[in-house]
Amino acid sequence: DCQKQGVEIRRRVGYLPGELNLYPHLRAREFLGMVNAVRGGTAEPAYIDRLCEQLGLDATRRMRTYSRGNKQKVGLVAAFMGKPDLLMLDEPTSGLDPLVQQTVLDMVRNARADGRTVLLSSHILSEVQVVCDRVGIIRDGRLVATERVEDLIQARLHRVTMRFERMPPAGAFDALGAREVGRLDQTVTLEVREDLNRVLSEAVQYGVLELETQ
């Protein structure tokens, strides 16, 4: 019960919101200490220091002096420091440089390896693919699919645009599980749901000059 057992829930949940609001006059270390106290003081100071070092965060500065990326690091430390059973992370790598993004993904992997649950919201599909076991897809505010990552990868659709020396006849690729969605001049665009290799083998006989796939 979120109202009757709020303290216990805060001990077991780490949360990084998409829009992070911090206290500008506090130093990061003071803020993290406050968050730790609200959660019952379960985070070890040495572990907090280790997270700050991993992310390259100077926790002695006042938070009004931070860039967006450093503010994001404060939110990440606050979410991870209590080693919660459930981590809810909204766009956790937003505003971070590529090396720090990889560090954050490693932190997510380590939490998962410890047997903890991570609910991660991201528009960066490559991130989702490397750290998640299952994916839920939200469209217009509704959950429209929940699948294991490997099943989604196997079922993915390729959109292939090819420019030919000789234009294939209409329907040339239909029997190969490909749907033609456009043709202009010497260019044909296909949606391929099955064997992309067979489609490309068939295309070669018409002389492929250029190829783009998504």
Side-chain angles (χ1 to χ4, degrees):
D1 186 308
C2 292
Q3 292 182 331
K4 294 179 181 177
Q5 297 166 289
V7 174
E8 178 60 22
I9 288 171
R10 281 190 287 274
R11 277 198 195 100
R12 300 185 62 190
V13 175
Y15 174 52
L16 175 70
E19 296 294 331
L20 182 63
N21 291 309
L22 299 171
Y23 298 91
H25 299 295
L26 284 182
R27 300 180 193 277
R29 189 173 299 283
E30 295 168 339
F31 172 74
L32 295 170
M34 180 185 70
V35 173
N36 191 26
V38 168
R39 291 183 184 154
T42 55
E44 300 172 1
Y47 186 61
I48 297 175
D49 290 342
R50 190 172 123 206
L51 289 173
C52 290
E53 184 179 347
Q54 277 184 278
L55 293 170
L57 173 68
D58 179 0
T60 64
R61 292 169 51 194
R62 297 192 188 278
M63 291 188 289
R64 67 169 179 264
T65 68
Y66 282 157
S67 64
R68 183 188 172 198
N70 277 325
K71 290 176 181 175
Q72 185 78 348
K73 293 174 186 179
V74 174
L76 286 162
V77 174
F80 278 86
M81 66 185 184
K83 299 183 179 179
D85 297 330
L86 171 64
L87 274 159
M88 295 189 292
L89 309 174
D90 191 352
E91 304 285 352
T93 61
S94 176
L96 301 176
D97 68 55
L99 289 177
V100 180
Q101 288 177 7
Q102 290 304 312
T103 298
V104 173
L105 297 181
D106 288 340
M107 290 163 61
V108 172
R109 289 190 193 95
N110 291 337
R112 185 182 68 180
D114 286 343
R116 294 183 275 139
T117 299
V118 183
L119 181 63
L120 182 149
S121 170
S122 178
H123 290 87
I124 305 174
L125 298 184
S126 59
E127 285 186 359
V128 173
Q129 185 172 335
V130 298
V131 300
C132 294
D133 298 309
R134 288 183 294 165
V135 177
I137 298 174
I138 296 174
R139 182 180 299 141
D140 297 327
R142 300 188 60 163
L143 187 66
V144 296
T146 304
E147 302 281 352
R148 292 191 63 81
V149 170
E150 57 264 33
D151 294 336
L152 279 176
I153 292 172
Q154 289 175 3
R156 72 184 182 274
L157 176 147
H158 293 277
R159 177 166 286 213
V160 182
T161 300
M162 291 178 278
R163 188 165 69 86
F164 294 97
E165 289 180 358
R166 300 175 303 283
M167 198 64 163
F173 303 98
D174 289 356
L176 304 177
R179 184 171 73 94
E180 187 174 307
V181 294
R183 60 169 54 210
L184 180 66
D185 298 329
Q186 296 298 106
T187 300
V188 174
T189 299
L190 304 170
E191 286 185 348
V192 184
R193 291 188 178 273
E194 296 179 22
D195 192 340
L196 180 60
N197 285 327
R198 290 178 61 205
V199 173
L200 296 178
S201 296
E202 178 71 16
V204 165
Q205 64 180 299
Y206 302 104
V208 178
L209 300 175
E210 294 178 10
L211 183 146
E212 179 183 354
T213 180
Q214 299 177 357

